[in-house]
Amino acid sequence: MNVKKFIANSSREAWRQVREALGPDAVILSNRNIPDGVEILAMANEDMTTLVAPTGARDPSGRPQAASLQQQSGLPPAQQPRRPALLSSPPAQARPAREGAPLLDQPGSERSQARAEAAPAADARVWRSRTRDSGNAQRRAAAPAGAPQRQEQEQDRPRSALPEFDGKDYDEILSEVMSEIRSMRGVLETQLAEISWGGTQKREPLKGIVLKEMLAAGFSASLSRLITENLPANSKSQDIMFWVKSVLARNLNTLANENELLENGGVFAMVGPTGVGKTTTTAKLAARCVMRHGSGKLALITTDGYRIGGYEQLRIYGKILGVMVHSVKDETDLRIALEELKGKHTVLIDTAGVGQRDQMVAEQDAMLTGAGVDIKRLLCLNATATGGTLNEVVHAYSSSGLAGCIITKLDEAATIGNVLDVVIRHKLNLHYVANGQRVPEDLHVANKLYLADRAFKQKRETAPFEFQEGELPGVIGPTAMSMNDKGLREVSFG
């Protein structure tokens, strides 16, 4: 028996070496993790067949028996080596009773019958190809009724004790095993997180208070847990919330000065789903540009040809400001319009609202990308939306990069922790916040300290939706898998 050892950095690489050295029919004897990677012991199919009986010798149950060592080696019985544990033992009925053996060991006793029944189960363990077995069963079922003789011949034909193994099945088995391992790992991590947090909540009740406050403010459980676990030691209750607000403010990227946007100018496009206030926000920005540079330095473009009255709404704002509004339908029109307006200091584009799961998001992105001009995209985030929805919106609209974002409908949101969480997680540059319909009064440059403080001071009448003390371990448990989020790993605590 020639057993070979294979060592590689991963299981897939080790199995590839096994297939190259021993073929797809190789028998895996063992595998284990070692400091250098993965170690696999394997042997060729031909070596394995020498350990099992030829197909001609069968016991009454129809299973092949192991060839005797005397037949294999030709040595007299006294010099025969001990039978390996891998080989099947002959049936108990075939063994003569030893002299002086207990009655339970005699043939016909319950113990001997149990051994006889268990003997076939001790055959050599081999990998069996489920794909080949199922295929053979289907072929036998589909065979014509007039071919019984052919089937008998196929049954009598000698077969290898180890069926051929398709290398493709290794990948299938590996995929199933890894899926089960991930599932078990997730369950264990969730349960351990719940148990750990339950003990922490009893030992350090201040962490439970901070976690409850952050969840009530709308922040995600994963970010709340991360900040709670990094609370400074021996902190007083009156100082701990100030530290939490300072961490949140430190991780919010905002404009240091509005001049960075208005003085530099350029082409800006308001993008986002339907109903987030893109047209109103465009009008508010237009008013600020007119007050700074005059109406002659500004141009407005709308691509909203779907919403009834979309162009008319922006045209009215433009008429009030004394600015011409251009309407475009496709990439060609946009390219022509931007070529005509290249002398303008600032060009604002109001795009059509498209849901984050709509394929038109990609079409709109292609239109802006193919305009031949560097268009800076400003994503409008609705403060009333849930954190999960906002996360999808950012993923959908950030494929070509975002210059920044604007939080809208701040006055309508019961909590703003959800939108601040997404801004922190995705490292977005927060330019403005809008808290009303008035143009241009209700658009303000984002103030990180004010937003972090307002997240906890805003009056909330959402008692039925707040978590209680006993529910906190259940909320923290599922965050075990999301703590490796790249956005969370980059959170700074100062």
Side-chain angles (χ1 to χ4, degrees):
M1 180 174 64
N2 188 12
V3 178
K4 294 185 178 181
K5 180 189 297 184
F6 301 88
I7 298 176
N9 294 330
S10 63
S11 298
R12 185 179 295 274
E13 178 65 20
W15 287 355
R16 185 187 63 78
Q17 296 178 11
V18 172
R19 285 196 293 269
E20 292 179 354
L22 304 178
D25 299 333
V27 180
I28 305 299
L29 300 179
S30 69
N31 65 340
R32 65 191 182 97
N33 291 327
I34 60 176
D36 296 334
V38 178
E39 176 189 277
I40 291 182
L41 298 179
M43 61 186 301
N45 184 26
E46 294 78 6
D47 296 337
M48 190 66 183
T49 55
T50 61
L51 299 179
V52 296
T55 57
R58 297 178 178 270
D59 63 8
S61 63
R63 293 180 177 270
Q65 297 180 355
S68 66
L69 295 177
Q70 183 177 1
Q71 294 175 355
Q72 295 179 12
S73 61
L75 298 176
Q79 301 179 10
Q80 293 291 333
R82 179 173 297 179
R83 183 188 303 272
L86 181 65
L87 300 180
S88 302
S89 300
Q93 293 87 340
R95 281 200 299 266
R98 293 175 296 177
E99 295 182 4
L103 182 60
L104 292 177
D105 289 339
Q106 298 299 329
S109 65
E110 295 181 358
R111 186 171 180 179
S112 63
Q113 292 178 1
R115 289 181 178 179
E117 295 176 357
D123 290 339
R125 299 177 180 176
V126 296
W127 288 91
R128 299 189 181 277
S129 173
R130 293 175 292 176
T131 305
R132 291 184 178 274
D133 293 345
S134 61
N136 294 335
Q138 294 177 358
R139 286 194 295 271
R140 288 195 298 269
Q149 184 176 1
R150 184 185 307 171
Q151 294 180 0
E152 293 178 359
Q153 292 176 357
E154 292 180 356
Q155 292 177 358
D156 295 337
R157 183 182 303 168
R159 290 184 249 173
S160 173
L162 291 174
E164 294 184 3
F165 194 97
D166 188 358
K168 183 178 180 181
D169 291 335
Y170 285 109
D171 296 334
E172 180 182 353
I173 294 173
L174 176 62
S175 177
E176 294 178 0
V177 172
M178 293 305 297
S179 177
E180 292 293 334
I181 292 176
R182 292 190 190 97
S183 177
M184 294 173 60
R185 177 182 177 181
V187 172
L188 289 175
E189 288 183 347
T190 299
Q191 293 180 352
L192 290 175
E194 292 181 10
I195 296 173
S196 174
W197 178 256
T200 302
Q201 192 175 3
K202 294 179 181 179
R203 295 191 306 271
E204 302 176 74
L206 187 59
K207 288 188 175 182
I209 296 174
V210 173
L211 179 66
K212 187 177 178 181
E213 284 292 322
M214 293 195 66
L215 293 175
F219 293 96
S220 65
S222 56
L223 179 61
S224 302
R225 176 186 176 184
L226 179 65
I227 293 179
T228 303
E229 289 179 348
N230 288 275
L231 290 176
N234 302 323
S235 299
K236 298 180 180 180
S237 57
Q238 60 268 24
D239 299 332
I240 197 64
M241 290 309 300
F242 176 79
W243 181 86
V244 172
K245 295 174 184 178
S246 64
V247 169
L248 294 173
R250 186 180 297 111
N251 289 276
L252 284 173
N253 299 322
T254 58
L255 284 176
N257 194 324
E258 190 179 15
N259 294 331
E260 297 178 15
L261 181 67
L262 297 181
E263 293 297 333
N264 295 332
V267 182
F268 299 91
M270 306 298 133
V271 297
T274 58
V276 296
K278 294 186 297 298
T279 302
T280 306
T281 302
T282 302
K284 293 174 182 177
L285 281 176
R288 284 177 173 264
C289 292
V290 169
M291 289 187 294
R292 181 69 63 93
H293 303 288
S295 59
K297 295 291 186 178
L298 175 69
L300 297 177
I301 298 176
T302 179
T303 65
D304 191 356
Y306 301 94
R307 183 168 56 93
I308 298 176
Y311 168 72
E312 293 298 327
Q313 182 181 0
L314 189 61
R315 187 184 66 81
I316 294 173
Y317 284 130
K319 185 177 180 180
I320 296 173
L321 297 174
V323 178
M324 181 66 69
V325 178
H326 303 264
S327 178
V328 299
K329 297 180 180 179
D330 52 25
E331 179 181 328
T332 303
D333 291 347
L334 180 60
R335 183 186 294 270
I336 295 174
L338 291 176
E339 181 66 23
E340 295 176 353
L341 300 173
K342 62 181 180 181
K344 299 293 184 179
H345 180 266
T346 305
V347 178
L348 300 178
I349 303 175
D350 178 28
T351 62
V354 182
Q356 69 272 16
R357 300 178 183 177
D358 196 323
Q359 63 179 1
M360 289 184 64
V361 173
E363 298 176 3
Q364 184 183 89
D365 182 71
M367 180 181 69
L368 297 176
T369 304
V373 178
D374 181 21
I375 300 179
K376 303 177 181 66
R377 296 165 177 81
L378 298 179
L379 178 62
C380 294
L381 296 175
N382 186 356
T384 63
T386 63
T389 302
L390 294 172
N391 199 52
E392 285 188 2
V393 169
V394 174
H395 278 297
Y397 282 90
S398 61
S399 58
S400 296
L402 295 172
C405 66
I406 299 174
I407 297 178
T408 63
K409 301 188 178 183
L410 200 66
D411 57 315
E412 301 178 16
T415 59
I416 63 172
N418 47 348
V419 66
L420 296 182
D421 187 296
V422 172
V423 172
I424 293 173
R425 189 182 298 268
H426 293 277
K427 299 297 180 183
L428 299 177
N429 294 318
L430 180 58
H431 291 350
Y432 294 95
V433 295
N435 61 345
Q437 294 291 324
R438 295 180 301 170
V439 177
E441 293 85 358
D442 291 334
L443 185 70
H444 311 277
V445 177
N447 185 321
K448 59 175 69 177
L449 294 175
Y450 167 77
L451 292 173
D453 186 66
R454 177 171 176 170
F456 296 96
K457 285 189 174 180
Q458 191 169 356
K459 183 180 180 180
R460 298 185 297 272
E461 298 178 357
T462 57
F465 303 98
E466 293 185 6
F467 294 103
Q468 304 302 317
E469 293 289 341
E471 298 173 333
L472 295 182
V475 176
I476 291 298
T479 63
M481 298 297 292
S482 60
M483 294 302 293
N484 292 325
D485 190 335
K486 180 181 178 181
L488 294 182
R489 293 198 303 267
E490 296 178 354
V491 172
S492 172
F493 296 96

